Amino acid sequence: MTAERDVKAYMTELGQKARLASRLVAAAPVAVKNKALLAIADELNACRSMLIAENSKDLAAGAANGLDAAMLDRLAVKDATIDKMIEGLRQVAALRDPCGEITDLNYMPSGIQVGKMRVPLGVIGIIYESRPNVTIDAASLCLKSGNAAILRGGSESIHSNRAIAACLQRGLEVAGLPSTVVQVVETTDRAAVGELITMPEYVDVIVPRGGKGLIERISREAKVPVIKHLDGICHVYIDDKADLKKAFDITLNAKTHRYGVCNALETLLVAEGIAAQVLPSLAEALAEKGVELRGCEKTRAIISANEAVEADWSTEYLAPILSIKIVAGLDEAIEHINRYSSQHSEAIVTEDFTRARRFLTEVDSSSVMVNASTRFADGFEYGLGAEIGISTDKIHARGPVGLDGLTSQKWIVLGDGHIRQ
Amino acid sequence: MTAERDVKAYMTELGQKARLASRLVAAAPVAVKNKALLAIADELNACRSMLIAENSKDLAAGAANGLDAAMLDRLAVKDATIDKMIEGLRQVAALRDPCGEITDLNYMPSGIQVGKMRVPLGVIGIIYESRPNVTIDAASLCLKSGNAAILRGGSESIHSNRAIAACLQRGLEVAGLPSTVVQVVETTDRAAVGELITMPEYVDVIVPRGGKGLIERISREAKVPVIKHLDGICHVYIDDKADLKKAFDITLNAKTHRYGVCNALETLLVAEGIAAQVLPSLAEALAEKGVELRGCEKTRAIISANEAVEADWSTEYLAPILSIKIVAGLDEAIEHINRYSSQHSEAIVTEDFTRARRFLTEVDSSSVMVNASTRFADGFEYGLGAEIGISTDKIHARGPVGLDGLTSQKWIVLGDGHIRQ
């Protein structure tokens, strides 16, 4: 038997076990799911030295294979990392169970009552890079939402993930759930990903978490629906009816609060009528933070900036760089955004009611904001309690995806012997 | 240039026009969309003789090509067909606009207000068989929900669809909308379907309407999300705590109200403890209607029936045939349903609260009913006003898909200069 056939057989077996387990976890009462979450937290706490020892094997191999400092940092499992995993598990345990929620139950003209009941999706495949903490994040959200999960982390984190998997399995068993509710793919063979994303009979949805290349490849090759998160090319538009202080605060926060995040500001649009008032102080504050400015011609007539070229408008810098464009007004701002944005998050700063209303309606992005920083686009800030990712798609889930995004709704009909006429 | 490249260029052009038109129709006020729907109805009314003449070309070609009577019947456009199209357009015009609906707008701890706004998906591709009335059905639902549409009907209906397309385009123009909001594919080349389902840059979702073969092929080959509707293998389970009259009425209605529909009953499950009471009168009534019974061994000990074989449990008859299985009780009924059902619609007949509650929770189908006929699984009966199909998927839309199923929700954030701490 070839290695490839081995991987196929292995993944098929994981899929079959996940499908069976999904039925059991879907029917599990919330108390059982919460017990498992807390038991997993206890296991992690009890196994700190084992987790750190296994992780050190990955770190040593990663260093030997030339991983850069940032990658090694994301790969590392320290006591503080374990603390965060434990806290995350406890937070998810404290969230309301999305399953079984009945909404919109109304009487119809025929006399039947029709409503919707929230139910798990089934089996969720998560593909992510070498960040062991994602193993716990993803497992906890899938479990709480009543789904089985198959987790495939980056191959550089294989020892860490196997160690975490052991804790997951013991925690599930403590709660009386099958250990197959969460399975970690224990081969580093890349063919495993190819199998995972082409088994619609066993996997209901794929959530890739990682770089753009990974997500594009998975979206292209998957035969299973994908909840995907691509770029965050976010805009702030400062309208000429903006409050200057709000414009200043929001722009600075959106750009400089954190640089490497998908909801950070990348392109600032400024109405021509207010540019001379707002840009100089902003440029000064951004310069103090070490942010490189790249401006259109009109911008460079007001402040000192490098020249912005066409490619700047469609670049996610994830770095202390800001492109700035002066626009005639709202129409041009919306046009620019709908053309160049990655449909992640955009904000307008204005005191004008009608312009705010138009911006909210006409900008086609997953989060659209008035007088607030794009940095708020986040599952925790939106009250979801946690998020498995931010969807830049429109199908199924858009924007921050919390527990509800990992569920579906079935229709329920209640009658008293009703038949159709 | 080869014919294949011609089709690719043609479909790309349709896609580009649809993408542009989708932005305009997404921003159109409901009054404009309704004006277009009513103007299309007026155009159809004014063009009756042209529509019937064009349709007669399709009917003649169809007859010459050996289409059977049922296919010719579905292909025919008569005065009554046009009346129904006109009534459908007026009904959709009377529905509430799903777009712009804001829900769940709440203050968060940070002080921002976060809610959701319902928005169109963008461009919807509909692929259907040679049923000209679907052209109007699909166009009206896409238009009302603020989407652009590309419609690809069966090649046998090409003259009818071109004639209907002309009415659609004039109606759109009367309302001041671009005629490209709804485009009908005017080539019968089958390669056009292949292009339509692999243009994610221009098409946001595909809705195939038709036979299982068509839907399976499209699902397999599509690079665009598909809202699909496969079989309806629907079950009624008569519990031993059932009211006998309700059990009788519901079973008879679900099986015999209409045979060729996806929400018709195909397999009846009966609890052992009540089988002898309920089956004889049911068998008699079903025999009167000419329904063939296929029963398990225990069934055939009570009533006269042909032998049901394994394949019967997974067959959608769409015909006057009913398979009957006697089960020990609720557990076996749920197990049978979750194994053999196509996850369309299932009903329990019982007076027992706990069993009803368990059936609603544990049966994993798009519609789950208590004491009501499976025939109610329908967009009109559920109060959606209309439906574009019944989804047997869990992603995005499940069960009857109305206007809401053709939309997404974006997040909106309202602040007063709020920044993230």
Side-chain angles (χ1 to χ4, degrees), chain A residues 121 223 246 253 360 363 366 368 370-371 373 375 394 396 398 408 410-411 413 415-418 420, chain B residues 121 220 246 253 360 363 366 368 370-371 373 375 394 396 398 408 410-411 413 415-418 420:
Chain A
L121 288 175
K223 296 283 174 196
K246 292 177 191 171
N253 184 258
L360 286 174
V363 169
S366 75
V368 189
V370 179
N371 295 339
S373 167
R375 283 286 290 129
K394 289 185 187 177
H396 188 68
R398 195 172 190 196
S408 179
K410 69 184 180 192
W411 297 85
V413 177
D416 192 26
H418 287 81
R420 187 149 166 204
Chain B
L121 287 175
R220 206 168 43 239
K246 292 177 192 171
N253 183 259
L360 286 173
V363 170
S366 75
V368 188
V370 179
N371 295 339
S373 167
R375 284 284 292 128
K394 291 185 186 178
H396 189 67
R398 195 172 189 195
S408 179
K410 69 184 180 192
W411 295 86
V413 177
D416 192 27
H418 286 83
R420 186 147 167 206

Side-chain angles (χ1 to χ4, degrees), chain B residues 30 33-34 37-38 85-98 136-145 380 384-387 403:
Chain B
V30 63
K33 295 188 286 188
N34 289 344
L37 289 165
L38 298 175
M85 291 179 187
I86 290 171
E87 196 195 328
L89 283 159
R90 290 180 181 154
Q91 279 177 357
V92 172
L95 292 177
R96 194 173 58 79
D97 188 349
I136 288 294
D137 269 14
S140 60
L141 291 171
C142 291
L143 170 56
K144 181 75 183 219
S145 54
F380 286 93
L384 305 181
E387 68 175 35
L403 291 174

Side-chain angles (χ1 to χ4, degrees), chain B residues 315-337:
Chain B
T315 298
E316 184 183 23
Y317 301 118
L318 296 172
I321 306 171
L322 178 69
S323 55
I324 305 176
K325 185 182 169 109
I326 291 178
V327 294
L330 182 63
D331 285 328
E332 193 183 339
I334 292 175
E335 205 183 296
H336 181 98
I337 291 171

Side-chain angles (χ1 to χ4, degrees), chain A residues 104-311:
Chain A
D104 303 324
L105 189 67
N106 293 301
Y107 281 96
M108 294 295 125
S110 63
I112 58 172
Q113 267 177 300
V114 178
K116 290 177 172 183
M117 183 190 284
R118 196 169 284 286
V119 292
L121 288 175
V123 178
I124 298 175
I126 318 259
I127 298 163
Y128 52 103
E129 295 177 332
S130 292
R131 297 177 61 175
N133 60 312
V134 174
T135 309
I136 288 293
D137 269 14
S140 60
L141 291 171
C142 292
L143 170 56
K144 181 76 184 215
S145 53
N147 292 289
I150 301 177
L151 309 178
R152 178 30 153 101
S155 56
E156 298 87 353
S157 56
I158 186 70
H159 293 96
S160 315
N161 284 340
R162 281 184 192 149
I164 293 170
C167 294
L168 282 165
Q169 284 160 8
R170 283 194 300 271
L172 288 162
E173 283 165 2
V174 165
L177 287 168
S179 63
T180 46
V181 165
V182 181
Q183 297 177 94
V184 170
V185 176
E186 297 205 355
T187 167
T188 58
D189 192 321
R190 292 191 68 180
V193 172
E195 293 299 326
L196 184 60
I197 64 177
T198 52
M199 309 194 294
E201 61 278 42
Y202 305 126
V203 178
D204 296 292
V205 65
I206 294 286
V207 183
R209 290 181 55 159
K212 197 178 169 185
L214 172 81
I215 294 170
E216 283 182 341
R217 184 170 69 85
I218 285 168
S219 305
R220 205 168 45 239
E221 296 171 12
K223 296 283 174 196
V224 176
V226 178
I227 295 179
K228 59 175 170 285
H229 168 190
L230 290 166
D231 301 3
I233 303 176
C234 303
H235 297 75
V236 168
Y237 166 58
I238 303 178
D239 184 55
D240 55 10
K241 296 282 179 65
D243 176 288
L244 287 175
K245 180 169 185 323
K246 292 177 191 171
F248 180 90
D249 291 348
I250 287 168
T251 305
L252 211 66
N253 184 258
K255 182 67 239 181
T256 70
H257 185 253
R258 280 181 69 187
Y259 296 112
V261 290
C262 59
N263 57 15
L265 169 63
E266 305 292 16
T267 298
L268 176 68
L269 303 171
V270 185
E272 197 155 18
I274 203 172
Q277 283 172 271
V278 77
L279 280 180
S281 59
L282 257 180
E284 194 179 333
L286 289 164
E288 260 176 43
K289 299 262 187 184
V291 176
E292 178 197 338
L293 302 182
R294 299 184 187 175
C296 68
E297 199 179 327
K298 287 180 181 169
T299 300
R300 285 178 287 116
I302 300 172
I303 57 168
S304 159
N306 294 324
E307 187 181 347
V309 297
E310 176 64 21

Side-chain angles (χ1 to χ4, degrees), chain A residues 51-63 75 156 159-160:
Chain A
L51 291 167
I52 291 170
E54 290 300 309
N55 179 248
S56 70
K57 296 181 193 170
D58 289 333
L59 288 173
L75 178 56
E156 298 87 353
H159 293 96
S160 315

Side-chain angles (χ1 to χ4, degrees), chain B residues 40-267:
Chain B
I40 294 165
D42 292 344
E43 287 291 333
L44 292 176
N45 195 37
C47 298
R48 285 174 183 265
S49 56
M50 182 272 280
L51 291 167
I52 290 169
E54 291 299 309
N55 179 248
S56 69
K57 296 180 193 170
D58 289 333
L59 287 174
N65 290 324
L67 291 194
D68 66 28
M71 287 181 81
L72 288 172
D73 185 54
R74 287 195 292 269
L75 178 57
V77 174
K78 300 170 194 162
D79 256 318
T81 323
I82 299 172
D83 289 343
K84 274 200 180 167
M85 291 179 187
I86 290 171
E87 196 195 328
L89 283 159
R90 290 180 181 154
Q91 279 177 357
V92 172
L95 292 177
R96 194 173 58 79
D97 188 349
C99 302
E101 178 198 43
I102 294 174
T103 50
D104 303 322
L105 189 66
N106 293 301
Y107 282 97
M108 294 295 127
S110 64
I112 58 173
Q113 267 177 299
V114 177
K116 289 177 172 183
M117 184 190 285
R118 197 169 284 286
V119 292
L121 287 175
V123 178
I124 298 175
I126 318 260
I127 298 163
Y128 52 103
E129 296 177 333
S130 291
R131 299 178 60 175
N133 61 312
V134 174
T135 308
I136 288 294
D137 269 14
S140 60
L141 291 171
C142 291
L143 170 56
K144 181 75 183 219
S145 54
N147 292 289
I150 301 178
L151 308 178
R152 177 33 153 99
S155 55
E156 299 88 354
S157 57
I158 186 70
H159 293 96
S160 315
N161 284 340
R162 280 185 191 146
I164 294 170
C167 295
L168 281 165
Q169 283 161 9
R170 284 194 300 272
L172 288 162
E173 283 165 2
V174 165
L177 286 169
S179 63
T180 46
V181 166
V182 181
Q183 298 177 94
V184 170
V185 176
E186 297 204 356
T187 167
T188 58
D189 193 322
R190 291 192 69 179
V193 173
E195 293 298 327
L196 183 60
I197 65 176
T198 53
M199 309 194 295
E201 60 277 42
Y202 304 126
V203 178
D204 296 292
V205 65
I206 293 285
V207 183
R209 288 180 55 157
K212 197 178 167 185
L214 172 82
I215 294 171
E216 282 182 340
R217 185 170 68 86
I218 285 168
S219 305
R220 206 168 43 239
E221 295 170 12
K223 295 283 175 196
V224 176
V226 177
I227 295 179
K228 60 174 170 289
H229 168 190
L230 290 166
D231 301 3
I233 303 176
C234 302
H235 297 75
V236 169
Y237 166 57
I238 303 178
D239 184 52
D240 54 10
K241 295 283 179 63
D243 176 288
L244 287 174
K245 178 168 187 324
K246 292 177 192 171
F248 180 90
D249 291 348
I250 288 168
T251 304
L252 211 67
N253 183 259
K255 182 67 242 179
T256 70
H257 186 252
R258 280 182 69 189
Y259 295 113
V261 290
C262 60
N263 56 16
L265 170 62
E266 306 291 18
T267 299

